Amino acid sequence: MTLKDLKPGEKGKVVGIGEKGPMRRRIMDMGVTPGAEVKVIKVAPLGDPIEVNIRGYELSLRKDEAAQIEVSKF
């Protein structure tokens, strides 16, 4: 399951990031690292972007970025 598959209000735990190279580094620099808890706050009408709460702050991710983040649902 990826972060893109979570619906607003659902929580998960980051288990991995599938992307390699600069995109992976960018995602990790934003605080999305394995073990972090994440909650989906809202999703734009067309599914892009996705607003999440991670480590106590709000973060907006593109749908293709969220699709690279593997999560386990709570």
Side-chain angles (χ1 to χ4, degrees):
M1 164 176 265
T2 66
L3 183 58
K4 183 184 83 164
D5 301 323
L6 292 181
K7 299 191 179 350
E10 292 182 334
K11 294 181 181 180
K13 184 175 186 177
V14 177
V15 293
I17 301 171
E19 187 70 38
K20 300 286 183 197
M23 180 61 78
R24 178 187 171 97
R25 186 72 201 164
R26 181 173 180 272
I27 291 171
M28 292 183 76
D29 286 347
M30 290 189 287
V32 182
T33 56
E37 292 182 13
V38 61
K39 179 181 180 184
V40 175
I41 303 300
K42 58 185 170 183
V43 179
L46 297 177
D48 196 18
I50 298 169
E51 185 175 328
V52 300
N53 182 299
I54 186 166
R55 301 180 190 273
Y57 62 90
E58 310 295 320
L59 178 67
S60 291
L61 296 167
R62 295 183 189 130
K63 187 166 50 176
D64 60 336
E65 292 171 333
Q68 299 297 320
I69 302 168
E70 299 169 31
V71 297
S72 62
K73 187 177 173 182
F74 289 159

